[in-house]
Amino acid sequence: MRLVIARCSVDYAGRLTAHLPSAPRLILVKADGSVSIHADDRAYKPLNWMSPPCTLKEGSGEEEDVWTVINKAGEKLIITMEEILHDSSHELGVDPGLIKDGVEAHLQELLADRIETLGEGYTLIRREYMTAIGPVDILCRDADGQTVAVEIKRRGEIDGVEQLTRYLELLNRDPHLAPVRGVFAAQEIKPQARVLATDRGIGCAVLDYNALRGIEDDKLRLF
């Protein structure tokens, strides 16, 4: 990971245009190729970013202070450096991934054992299917043979939808799995998360813990 703190302005050119005026900002360049620009607020959320796959070209000559990030769709993130205050690179290695709490881990185990509750004809490929950015909770196939990636949370919020979106981007590059669709599963799904998932073509499943344990009706409510 490369960390750059610089006074800079940022312009995005793509389906829309956006401009960030000059200010001190943190620029993260990750090993997966992603580039994101952060202010000293907004928690984790960047001001602007470019998701992988993309390429970063640092300027030379008269434009040596201009960085251009281009994705596969031809969209550009143009960063004009005015003053670099810090520039360092760090090898973080392979991340072990998030260790889920007991409830999420148990939900994953129960759903994997009863994968047909997602729909008739569903079959399990495997739990904890590893990707370059961490493991997908469950990878399975539906009745039509299409690959389905399932992300499981105790409480479904926007972060979980974003996480599943990143997994889907990677999985759909694998010709042996593509096309891969997603299902966001949780005991409770926040309205904002449901709206974002629907907008991205991701299905939502409300998990009934007791039903999965066989105490009540074993049907999931799919939306």
Side-chain angles (χ1 to χ4, degrees), residues 113-128:
D113 288 343
R114 305 180 67 181
I115 196 65
E116 71 282 353
T117 57
L118 279 176
E120 185 177 352
Y122 272 69
T123 56
L124 178 70
I125 296 176
R126 66 168 298 170
R127 291 171 53 194
E128 299 288 332

Side-chain angles (χ1 to χ4, degrees), residues 138-207:
I138 291 177
L139 198 68
C140 57
R141 295 192 189 278
D142 63 18
D144 297 323
Q146 183 177 0
T147 309
V148 181
V150 184
E151 180 64 25
I152 299 172
K153 300 292 184 186
R154 185 161 53 92
R155 179 179 293 107
E157 301 188 23
I158 285 177
D159 287 0
V161 179
E162 295 283 8
Q163 182 180 359
L164 179 54
T165 299
R166 293 191 291 271
Y167 288 146
L168 290 171
E169 287 179 358
L170 287 175
L171 292 170
N172 273 299
R173 297 180 204 169
D174 187 337
H176 299 293
L177 297 175
V180 185
R181 64 181 179 88
V183 171
F184 187 51
Q187 289 180 286
E188 173 192 359
I189 299 178
K190 296 294 184 180
Q192 299 92 331
R194 187 184 298 279
V195 170
L196 181 61
T198 301
D199 181 67
R200 295 184 176 180
I202 295 172
C204 292
V206 176
L207 301 177

Side-chain angles (χ1 to χ4, degrees), residues 1-2 27-36 49-56 69 77 166:
M1 178 182 289
R2 184 178 178 186
I27 302 167
L28 297 182
V29 183
K30 295 187 177 180
D32 64 2
S34 63
V35 178
S36 57
W49 68 95
M50 194 70 82
S51 299
C54 58
T55 57
L56 168 61
V69 188
L77 199 63
R166 293 191 291 271

Side-chain angles (χ1 to χ4, degrees), residues 74-88:
E75 298 168 319
K76 294 183 179 180
L77 199 63
I78 301 169
I79 307 169
T80 303
M81 302 291 189
E82 298 174 14
E83 181 183 9
I84 294 179
L85 306 172
H86 175 85
D87 188 348
S88 63

